[in-house]
């Protein structure tokens, strides 16, 4: 891949340090405002121009344009899953070939690599960057904006961390969450257990039924993940809740699973069930990435593509019919975990890959 000047790994590491040390937990608007300013500052310093902070109830999104007719959107997010104070316990660290710290892999490393990759291009017209503030919590405030810019640009490169082994993400499952609330009736567990309606027992019935909604052969997973019930050991529980994670590969499965949740009925007389939620991120079919992945393979022979279970904002852009390639961010691992890391040896190659893709798309 030919770029006008090589990237500096040392400079990338320092910019990554800057972003990591401005903690950016989702839903903390004040922290995200500081993070957005840091992201905007790095973009402006490396690329010139003006990065606009787009205010939202979730925090500021960062949007930058290289001018000219838009042809490619570089898409990512600057919010992380880690609460304030994580940095004190797990500071930004460079050791050997690894950088560690909260958010380095998901996905602050991808932001830095993309910016430095674009900086190697003398002509940055036709390129837009959008870094949202709420991807980790569903992209409710940013979805309309990112869809608008994706349609305007016509191609999307998503900076989420690479798949295992450094592969690109060429397909993603649709995903969502459901909350099943159960109302029963409290009574004394010793004196009048039969006078109550045990919401915990009803929840147990529902969990078993819900777990049966999965179809592994069709790529559908339905996983109860959080449950709560009861107040005291001698009180028949009057309330219970069950939260369920759902992943699907097709719209047909999305419709089937949503219908199954809507049809849930109580097993115990007197129990009542309320279901909230849906599959909010549509599936990203591999066909959406096929053309862009072919370009990436020409630029970096041997790179692999993988369909993965996790969702991203690429699900939304692919559902619009906009060509979308994901997993272009950092090579590493441990997303959302304490051992999260980025491999330093891959940073320059990934920056160059983004630059090469942008140059190819702009030329096309």
């Amino acid at each position: 891949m030919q770029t006008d000047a090589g990237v500096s790994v040392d400079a990338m590491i320092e910019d990554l340090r800057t972003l990591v040390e401005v903690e950016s937990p989702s839903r903390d608007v004040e922290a995200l405002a500081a993070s957005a300013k840091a992201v905007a500052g790095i973009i402006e310093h490396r690329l010139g121009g003006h990065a606009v902070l787009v205010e939202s109830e979730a925090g500021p999104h960062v949007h930058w344009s290289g001018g000219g007719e838009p042809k490619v959107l570089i898409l990512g997010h600057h919010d992380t899953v880690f609460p304030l104070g994580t940095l004190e316990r797990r500071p930004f660290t460079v050791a050997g070939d690894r950088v560690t710290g909260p958010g380095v892999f998901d996905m602050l490393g991808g932001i830095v690599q993309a910016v430095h990759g674009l900086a190697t291009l003398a002509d940055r017209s036709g390129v837009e960057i959008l870094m949202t503030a709420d991807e980790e919590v569903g992209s409710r405030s940013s979805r309309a904006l990112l869809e608008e810019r994706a349609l305007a640009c016509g191609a999307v490169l998503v900076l989420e961390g690479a798949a295992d082994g450094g592969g690109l993400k060429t397909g993603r499952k649709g995903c969502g969450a459901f909350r099943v609330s159960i109302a029963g009736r409290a009574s004394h567990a010793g004196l009048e257990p039969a006078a109550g309606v045990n919401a915990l027992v009803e929840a147990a019935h529902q969990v078993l039924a819900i777990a049966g909604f999965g179809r592994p052969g069709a790529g559908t997973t339905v996983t109860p993940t959080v449950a709560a019930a009861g107040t005291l050991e001698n009180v028949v529980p009057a309330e219970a809740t069950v939260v369920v994670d759902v992943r699907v590969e097709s719209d047909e499965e999305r419709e089937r699973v949503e219908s199954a949740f809507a049809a849930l009925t109580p097993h115990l007389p007197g129990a009542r069930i309320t279901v909230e939620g849906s599959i909010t991120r549509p599936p990203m079919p591999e066909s959406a990435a096929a053309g862009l992945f072919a370009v990436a393979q020409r630029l970096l022979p041997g790179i692999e593509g993988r369909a993965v279970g996790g969702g991203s904002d690429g699900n939304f852009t692919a559902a619009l019919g906009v060509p979308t390639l994901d997993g272009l961010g950092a090579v590493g691992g441990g997303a959302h975990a304490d051992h999260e890391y980025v491999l330093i040896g891959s940073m320059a190659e990934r920056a160059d890959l983004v630059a090469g893709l942008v140059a190819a798309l702009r030329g096309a």
Side-chain angles (χ1 to χ4, degrees), residues 182 198-201 203 227-232 237-242:
I182 296 138
N198 195 316
L200 177 55
V201 172
T231 54
L232 294 170
E239 296 180 345
T241 58
V242 177

Side-chain angles (χ1 to χ4, degrees), residues 254-265:
R254 175 186 60 79
E255 292 173 1
R256 182 188 67 81
V257 171
E258 289 182 343
S259 296
F261 272 97
L264 285 172
T265 56

